[in-house]
Amino acid sequence: MADIELKQVEKRFGEHYAVRPLDLFIKNGEFVALLGPSGCGKTTTLRMIAGLETVSGGRIILNGQDVTWLKPSQRDVAMVFQFFALYPHLTAWENIAFPLQAEGESRENIKRRVKEVAELLRIEPLLKSRPGALSSGDQQRVALARALVRRPSCFLMDEPLGALDADFRETMRSEIKRLHILQNATTVYVTHDQIEAMAMADRIVVMSQGVVQQVGTPAEVYHTPSNLFVAQFIGSPGMNLVKGTWADNVVALPGGNRYAPPDGWPAALHRGLSGSGVIVGFRPEAVQIHPNGQLAAGVYSVDLHGSYTMLVLEMGDDHSIHARVSRDAHFTVGETIRFDLNPSMVRFFDPKTERAIAHSA
Amino acid sequence: MQLTQTQTAPMHRRRSLTDVQIQVLFIAPTIILLVLWNIFPLFYSLYLSFTEFSVIKPDVPPAWIGLQNYNKLLNDPRIWQYFALTGRYVVTTVALQAIIGFGLALFLRERFKGSGLVTTLILIPIMMSPVVIGLFWKLIYNPAFGIFNYLIGYSVPNSGPDWLGEASRALWAIIIVDVWMWSPFVMLLCLSGLKAIPDYLYEAAAIDRASPWFQFWRITLPQVAPLLLIAILFRTIEAFKTFDLVMGLTGGGPGDSTELIAVYLYRAAFTRFTTGESSALAYIILVIVIAVSNLYVRSLNRIRGEQ
C-alpha cells in the first residue's frame, strides 16, 4: 500500500501541453478519480503514474520512492485498461497467472492466489475460457483479477467501465467499489463519467485542457465548484449559471429580476469581484417555488423524471435554467412562476476570471 | 403488333441466357483447362505409375505391372538415401530460414531511419529467378575469383574451399543459397504478424512486470506463431521440391552428394525416360508432402483454436 505524490508533473508534445504542471498527493488507501472530458489529460496523467508515458517535467513519488524514471515493471503498480488488454491467446486462468509467472512465483502459490482472486471476483467457472469467448463484463472481471492478483501497492484504472454496456456498468461500479473497500488499496481511477466519479471516489480531480480545475470530495466539487468549468461539468444537468450585474447590494438578473444575495455574500462580492459583472450559480435543487419569491421566470418545459419533475425555466429571453421540483407539483407551459434560491446553495462567480467568489463567513 | 414483336425479339433472346448459364460460360474455360492440364495428368500419371511405359516409345503401349514400380523403388537403397538427403536438406534449410527470417523481422519491426529501404533491399532475392541465382552464386562460390571465400576470410585466390566441388560442402552451399533467397519470405510474413500485435499487450505485460524475455516467449512468439507456421509450411513444401537451384549450382554432384529427390525424379523422368517408374516416385513424394503438410496444418489449427 502506498501514497502517490505528483510534484509539478507535466507532459508536453512539442509546444502543446497535454498536462500542465500538476501537484497532487494521494493518500494511502484513497480512491481518487481523475475526471474530465476527453483530451483533458487525465489518461496521460494516469499513464505517467504507471510509467507507460515519460514525464516532460516534475517528479512522481510512489511510497516515498522517486519513480519518475523507473520502468512500469519497477513501480509496483497494477493497471486496468479501458479495453481490458487481456492476452488473447491465453485462457482467463493464464491471464490472471501472468503477473505471478512473470515474477517467477512457485506453482502452488500461483494456483492458490489465482483461485483466491477468482473467488473474490466470482469468475471461477470462466477460468478455462479464452478472452474472446467471454462477455465484455467478464473480460473486465478477468482484467481486474489480473490486476489484483499481484497485490500491488496501487491500482490504476483507465476508464475500466467505458467499454461495457450501460446495465453492466452499474454492477461493475459497485463491484469495483466493494473491491476497493476489501483491499483498501490506493486507487487512481480515470473516467469522463461524473456519475461514476461521484459514486466511487473519495476525492475527485477535475481536469480540463491539461489543467487541474479542482481537487475535492464529491460533495465539494458538486456544491462548491471552484470555477465555471467545474460548475457546468459536474451534475446533470450542470449548475445553473445566470449572468447579472452587481450594484447597490443587489444583483440585476435578466428579465428584470433583482436578487439580494444571502447574508455574508455582499461583503464577499464587494471584495472578490473584478468588475460589476457577476454570475449567479445554483443547482436545480436549490430552486424553491414560492408565491412571494424574489425571482420570476416563465415555464418553458415540464419533464417528469419519475421521482421528481425537472422544469426548464426561461429567465429573460435566452437564459434557461433548470429547476428540480416535487413530482406532485403541476405547472403549465408558458405560466410565470416565482421562486427563491436556497441561501446555502447559492454560489457566485466572476465572469472575467471564471473563478468562484469565496464566501466570507 | 408486328413492329412490337421485331423489337422485342432480340431482347428476348438475350434474356434467355439465364444467370446459371452465364456462370457456366465464365467457369467452363477454367474448368476445361484445369482438367486438361492438372486433373487428367494427375490421374493419368497415377495409372502410369502401375505400368511399364516410356514416353519416348509412344508406339509401345503402357503395360500393366501392378505394384512392381513401387516395390522396386521402395526397395532401392539409393532412393532411401536421396530421401534422407532431402529430409536433412529440408529440415536444415527451413529451420535456418525460420530463425533468420524471424530474427530479421524482429529487427525490422523497430522503426528506424531507412527501415523501409532496408526491408525492400532484403526482399530482392525473392524477386529473382532461381536459374539466375544459381548461375551467379556459381560465380560467387568460385574458388579462384568468387567473393564468398574472400568474405569469409580467404583473401588469396584458390586458398579457400571449393564449395560446389567438394561432396561434404556442396549440400551446405545449396542450403546457404536457399536460405539467402527465402529467409526474406519468412521475414515478410513474420513482420506482418509482428506489426499486427497491439501495443497494449506489451503495455499490459510491462505493468505485469514481465521481463523482455518473458514477453517474447509469452506474447510475441505465440502471437506470430500462426503466420510463422504458414511460412514454414510453404517453405517446407517448396524445399521438398527444390530442383532449379540444384540444377543451376551442382547438377546433383559432386557424385550424388546433392542428389535431392526432385533432382533424381527429373533424371528418371527426362533423361532415362522411365515414365512409369518416375510416375510412381512422383506419387510417393506427393504422399510424403501431403503427410508433412497435414502435420503443419494440424498444429496450425491447434494454435488458431487457442486464440
Side-chain angles (χ1 to χ4, degrees), chain B residues 21-33:
Chain B
Q21 283 169 318
I22 292 172
Q23 286 166 13
V24 168
L25 271 177
F26 273 103
I27 296 169
T30 317
I31 296 283
I32 291 167
L33 282 176

Side-chain angles (χ1 to χ4, degrees), chain A residues 44-106:
Chain A
T44 309
T45 306
L46 189 80
R47 288 170 61 86
M48 287 193 289
I49 300 175
L52 295 172
E53 207 84 62
T54 56
V55 300
S56 308
R59 295 198 297 142
I60 298 172
I61 291 143
L62 198 71
N63 217 6
Q65 188 199 0
D66 189 332
V67 299
T68 315
W69 297 106
L70 294 186
K71 288 185 202 149
S73 56
Q74 297 166 310
R75 296 194 183 193
D76 196 23
V77 296
M79 186 154 165
V80 180
F81 295 81
Q82 179 172 9
F83 297 104
F84 322 133
L86 294 171
Y87 309 114
H89 53 284
L90 303 178
T91 63
W93 191 93
E94 290 166 325
N95 264 284
I96 300 169
F98 192 97
L100 299 177
Q101 290 168 340
E103 284 187 329
E105 283 277 350
S106 73

Side-chain angles (χ1 to χ4, degrees), chain B residues 15-295:
Chain B
R15 208 179 284 148
S16 72
L17 218 55
T18 62
D19 280 359
V20 173
Q21 283 169 318
I22 292 172
Q23 286 166 13
V24 168
L25 271 177
F26 273 103
I27 296 169
T30 317
I31 296 283
I32 291 167
L33 282 176
L34 203 64
V35 168
L36 282 180
W37 265 270
N38 281 8
I39 314 283
F40 170 71
L42 190 70
F43 287 104
Y44 189 56
S45 62
L46 181 61
Y47 161 69
L48 288 180
S49 72
F50 297 105
T51 64
E52 170 93 60
F53 178 65
S54 175
V55 279
I56 48 171
K57 295 177 199 148
D59 41 329
V60 182
W64 184 268
I65 53 169
L67 287 171
Q68 267 184 47
N69 283 332
Y70 288 94
N71 215 348
K72 187 180 156 206
L73 284 168
L74 294 176
N75 283 315
D76 184 345
R78 270 187 320 159
I79 296 288
W80 289 108
Q81 187 197 320
Y82 298 150
F83 266 120
L85 184 75
T86 308
R88 244 173 43 223
Y89 167 77
V90 169
V91 170
T92 318
T93 188
V94 173
L96 285 174
Q97 284 168 37
I99 294 167
I100 293 173
F102 192 57
L104 281 173
L106 282 175
F107 168 65
L108 286 169
R109 168 206 218 181
E110 310 298 333
R111 285 243 146 257
F112 53 88
K113 224 178 163 191
S115 62
L117 182 69
V118 172
T119 312
T120 313
L121 286 177
I122 288 179
L123 288 178
I124 284 178
I126 309 181
M127 304 173 200
M128 292 195 282
S129 153
V131 178
V132 174
I133 286 177
L135 282 174
F136 76 66
W137 269 90
K138 225 170 165 168
L139 300 176
I140 290 172
Y141 277 136
N142 188 298
F145 54 78
I147 197 169
F148 189 81
N149 278 344
Y150 179 79
L151 286 179
I152 60 170
Y154 298 95
S155 47
V156 181
N158 282 320
S159 64
D162 179 3
W163 285 87
L164 299 174
E166 293 170 28
S168 59
R169 294 181 194 267
L171 188 69
W172 277 103
I174 293 169
I175 289 173
I176 289 170
V177 178
D178 197 54
V179 168
W180 170 84
M181 187 173 175
W182 289 108
S183 293
F185 172 79
V186 180
M187 177 208 79
L188 201 61
L189 282 182
C190 288
L191 194 58
S192 65
L194 284 172
K195 291 204 165 164
I197 304 177
D199 281 342
Y200 63 72
L201 290 187
Y202 292 105
E203 290 189 344
I207 294 282
D208 287 342
R209 304 181 130 187
S211 63
W213 189 242
F214 194 80
Q215 291 183 21
F216 176 80
W217 285 107
R218 296 299 298 272
I219 296 173
T220 310
L221 203 58
Q223 286 279 316
V224 180
L227 277 171
L228 181 63
L229 258 177
I230 286 176
I232 289 177
L233 170 66
F234 282 6
R235 288 315 308 149
T236 305
I237 295 173
E238 287 284 311
F240 224 96
K241 301 190 300 184
T242 302
F243 165 74
D244 32 24
L245 267 186
V246 179
M247 289 312 275
L249 284 166
T250 63
D256 57 2
S257 60
T258 57
E259 189 87 350
L260 299 181
I261 201 69
V263 178
Y264 180 81
L265 175 61
Y266 165 79
R267 265 192 248 285
F270 301 110
T271 55
R272 294 195 295 276
F273 288 102
T274 52
T275 309
E277 194 185 313
S278 48
S279 296
L281 179 57
Y283 261 88
I284 295 172
I285 296 173
L286 180 72
V287 168
I288 292 175
V289 169
I290 289 176
V292 171
S293 331
N294 254 321
L295 286 179

